[in-house]
């Protein structure tokens, strides 16, 4: 066979035309996928859950991240520790994915028994000379920011998680999310590459026509628009948006709420993120169909409902925190063409379903939005795998964050020798 | 590991013993499959549908050919145009596989809007400087022969489609198949390599024992027989076949119908094909269980029922056109071990189901035959993947077209540098 | 992309730390899997069935071993012959997996017809010059030991099957297993590498906590225990076990029954095996929940019920023969992470279900045990594929046979040039 020399991962990245999409092989190739998982999901900080997943001592949330699996453990002292879900004997999983509550961690294969602090406490048949002290569960680098649990699966974790922590902690603080509970969660598998899932999340160019539920509360103008040749109607809507935005920011700042956009999506920042307090349309309260709060029990001791939406992007997650509830999604790549999206809806831990909130009103916006996005990601992925696909131009107005993402992606691979 | 050097695609072809089957690796290997798809399905003319798939202006038939996908569009001027099903923006599919009817082609992702002539008519948020003129849908080389729609997905399409067109157009003309409708269609996935599907179609050695429905009307003698040591009964049957054949041909020629076999299966012909007007057994009318027409409304203004079977082979299709109906099948390779077979049954556009024809009588022969062939292809494929498989000898009488196919396959790969 | 040079199969083996598990890549990698299948399932003797699968002349048992498939045929002379399940014409499978009874072997594709002795008897359309004599079915090297059917798919089969035959024939003889019937059989697919299935079978460290049904009759002490720091209770149990064992052996030897352990698991033995007459706990009769026989009709003309358990390990099977029934399991690797386990329960051919035995009492121990082991193999496999997996230490007392298996595995690959 005439051997077609494949472009390397690095060549594919360098050959991307600025302002245009990535070449299809970066989405579809197995070798690219494996490098992506290694670099972006094992060597960068990723979101893997929330503290509300494990409210009580002994609670464990087991999360699979591709071939890797971690145990998120609430210890006896209420501290949270995270371990690799691999027995130090013959490598068996200690727990299947999901939630459980234990006193000790006992391997189902040969009953090697670990304390919640990870130390190996008990084994049979290993002999008197066996040293248990070097056989504790492998710890995972962890950083908790508000309720968000970030991990890095390599020991050489990027330091700049500190920047995210410093920025977000005071923004999440008024909501006291450590006293939230998970009211609902979903898991869907989108039939597309993880980078297309992120691209889809990083622009609202597609929102108007495809997300009627989301755009009830969400203002696509926040993520860019083309100022050229606006119709009178469009210009009026834009003016209204800008006036409203200014008024909201002024009002929030009077209440001491942090509003300014912080954008750390530079190619030289490992732990890139972006946050902004977004204005909510209509009644201005929450991401719901009627733009009012979904839960009458607000977070913490808040009494003001119109706090906007504290929005956070990382390279594997997106978060919206409103006065009454939060919606937190994160992704796990499963294959070049499969990406898991986990979404959790949080409310105050004292909020009572049926009294303070109903699940349908709480979840309908993002259940619908996720479903719509899954469909878009699927048709986008398949098109990029067509031999006829040529990356087209980004809108300089509404897709600027895709260009930033492509640059960051390239720089981070380069930083890891790809 | 002791590295076993794999034979190249070219070596596998050259090592084939003349008169014997292909080595198993040509059927089972992923790299061979990918080259096959590129050479035989992207760089040769292939059948992808019939004009009856899109009878009205604005009708679209979307056909997936492996990773590629095309939009077969009936324009406002009733002309048929074919485009790659890839948006010029971020590559999204414009349409899912199947049929639809539209005024304009609107991408579901960001609503880039194309006219039915492929030109990009409308985009939002791209700015005043954006040039739409170079962003039309990519056209696909198309040739329509009777009702058959052939495409070539490369711009460098073989010229010799003209030979097929010149040969078949006058043979299809009396049936006026552009006024046919699709009465029924099926899609099955055969569990074997596409070349085994074609081999299976290129011999009738297997027909006698496995296709009772087909052989009611089909005469295996047409595709070869062994003259050695015939029993008296076999010799008599053969004599009868030859007498009947001569009589039919003479009668058809009196009516001005083209009968002569045209065989263009040479290794140096890219667009290989073969056609013959086949005699139908029994009542001599059509490929049905009772060998009479299935539809009382004949094609065009025909009034003679016993026109035989205008048969056509290409490397991805087989066609039978009788006075009352046509059966057209084409294949799309999905994986080394998966081949899609699409079959369409055509009748006159004015034929009425339940009055002029019933679906069961129309379709039972080829529904049964396809199912039987799928089973044979599956057991054949699995056997060729057994380490014990050694290609055996073709029958020089009934499998001569397999030898021709193997030679053509080798020559076409060589012509493309494999 | 920074190319990560993969370790070779040989390097992975050499890098294993003595006394520790194998590296994860030996379980999960496709190239390792393919070499394993070639070396251990095509070039070594493997168990593929029992004579009771084909009790009558003309009976055929078709067994798939990965891509390979064999026909186990009971000929007219009641001899058993085994052929590759590949037609010598175009390679079609002659039979689907499973059981059937025939007079001749007729290929379903073109009716090439073979005698039960494998010779090609009849073909049509091949011409007078066609020589059938060199086109018989390909024979498979076969050795029958008691009821066990071993094959080697290469012509260069290891000679040392003789050692297994000489050892086991006299041990199986008193049971006359050629007059047994298959009372039940199961097929399960375990989600793990075949070597993990064998490791799981080669230690009873895990039995106490996971196999309550098996340990009713099975004494884990037979396969090792740690003598350090035994509790008084454990010491007493051990003493009892040893006393009982000595008494049983003495009693069996008085009856002329072979009892001594024969262990041929050396790295330089191709056809490694181990046999021992194991003591049965409780009532001492059979591997059942009540440790009494499951079938009142004992094998052959036996009248003593407490004959223990004639146990046999090969690298793809495990066997337990008691006075009343036998349980024989063998494995076929399907993929790096999929292993088929077939289990057959044999009783005397005259035993009548519902009178002499019930299926539930006969099968419940191993049906439960297989299910439990499948679960353990699955969690073990997934853990070994985690990037955090590091092979841990074997118990020197209860996992010594895993070390032997790892050494044998390495030596056999080396012997085949890996």
């Amino acid at each position: 066979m005439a051997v077609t020399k494949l472009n390397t991962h690095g060549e594919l990245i360098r050959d991307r035309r600025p302002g245009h999409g990535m070449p299809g092989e970066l989405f579809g190739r197995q070798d690219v996928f494996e490098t992506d998982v290694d670099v972006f999901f094992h060597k960068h900080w990723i979101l893997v859950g929330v503290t509300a997943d494990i409210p009580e001592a002994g609670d464990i949330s087991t999360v699979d991240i591709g071939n890797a699996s971690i145990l998120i453990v609430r210890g006896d002292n209420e501290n949270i520790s995270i371990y690799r879900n691999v027995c130090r004997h013959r490598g068996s999983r200690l727990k299947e994915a999901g939630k459980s509550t234990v006193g000790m961690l006992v391997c189902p294969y040969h009953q090697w028994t670990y304390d919640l602090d990870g130390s190996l406490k008990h084994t049979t048949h290993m002999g008197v000379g066996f040293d248990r002290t070097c056989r504790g569960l492998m710890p995972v680098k962890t950083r908790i920011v508000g309720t968000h649990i970030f991990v890095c699966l390599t020991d050489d974790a990027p330091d700049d998680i500190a920047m995210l922590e410093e920025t977000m902690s005071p923004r999440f603080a008024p909501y006291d999310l450590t006293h939230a509970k998970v009211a609902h969660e979903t898991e869907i598998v989108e039939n597309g590459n993880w980078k297309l899932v992120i691209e889809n999340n990083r622009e609202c160019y597609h929102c108007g026509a495809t997300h009627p539920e989301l755009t009830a509360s969400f203002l696509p103008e926040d993520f860019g628009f083309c100022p050229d040749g606006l119709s009178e109607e469009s210009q009026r809507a834009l003016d209204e948006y800008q006036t409203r935005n200014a008024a909201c920011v002024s009002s929030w700042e009077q209440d001491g709420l942090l509003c300014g956009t912080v954008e750390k999506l530079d190619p030289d920042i490992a732990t890139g993120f972006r946050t902004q307090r977004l204005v909510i349309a209509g009644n201005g309260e929450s991401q719901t169909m009627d733009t009012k709060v979904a839960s009458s029990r607000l977070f913490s001791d808040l009494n003001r409902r119109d706090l906007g939406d504290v929005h956070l992007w990382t390279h594997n997650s997106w978060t919206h925190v409103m006065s009454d509830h939060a919606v937190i999604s994160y992704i796990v790549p499963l294959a070049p063409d499969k990406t898991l999206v986990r979404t959790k809806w949080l409310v105050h831990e004292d909020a009572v379903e049926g009294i303070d909130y109903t699940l349908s009103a709480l979840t309908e916006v993002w259940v619908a939005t996720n479903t719509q996005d899954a469909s878009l990601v699927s048709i986008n992925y398949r098109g990029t795998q067509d031999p006829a696909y040529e990356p087209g131009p980004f809108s300089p107005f509404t897709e600027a964050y895709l260009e930033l993402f492509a640059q960051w992606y390239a720089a981070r691979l380069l930083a890891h020798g790809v």
Side-chain angles (χ1 to χ4, degrees), chain A residues 225-265:
Chain A
F225 56 87
C226 173
D228 301 329
L230 287 178
S231 67
E232 259 185 58
E233 187 189 7
S234 293
Q235 187 61 56
R236 191 163 48 240
L238 190 61
D239 292 343
E240 277 170 22
Y241 159 73
Q242 284 165 336
T243 305
R244 181 179 187 128
N245 202 34
C248 284
V249 167
S250 166
S251 156
W252 292 330
E253 287 181 343
Q254 277 183 340
D255 276 8
L257 294 161
L258 292 164
C259 297
T261 301
V262 177
E263 191 167 300
K264 299 289 181 187
L265 301 170

Side-chain angles (χ1 to χ4, degrees), chain A residues 16 38 87 102 108 130 164 181 186 206 251 277 304 324 351 366 389 396:
Chain A
R16 187 181 69 91
D38 183 49
C87 182
V102 302
F130 177 63
L164 185 153
K181 69 171 179 181
T186 59
H206 70 274
S251 156
R277 188 177 295 265
R304 181 172 170 184
D324 66 319
W366 276 100
Y389 167 65

Side-chain angles (χ1 to χ4, degrees), chain A residues 24 381-390:
Chain A
Y381 178 76
R382 281 183 283 135
T384 65
Q385 301 308 295
D386 193 301
Y389 167 65
E390 284 178 11

Side-chain angles (χ1 to χ4, degrees), chain A residues 354-404:
Chain A
I355 295 174
D356 296 307
Y357 67 95
T358 64
L359 273 188
S360 59
L362 184 72
T363 64
E364 66 188 316
V365 168
W366 276 100
V367 164
T369 302
N370 283 345
T371 304
Q372 292 148 359
D373 282 333
S375 167
L376 295 174
V377 165
S378 168
I379 60 174
N380 192 14
Y381 178 76
R382 281 183 283 135
T384 65
Q385 301 308 295
D386 193 301
Y389 167 65
E390 284 178 11
F394 291 142
S395 159
F397 307 103
T398 59
E399 296 178 310
Y401 289 115
L402 275 62
E403 178 63 19
L404 276 183

Side-chain angles (χ1 to χ4, degrees), chain A residues 149-161:
Chain A
I149 301 176
F150 291 95
V151 301
C152 183
L153 295 178
T154 184
D155 286 338
D156 189 22
D159 289 338
D160 59 8
I161 183 76

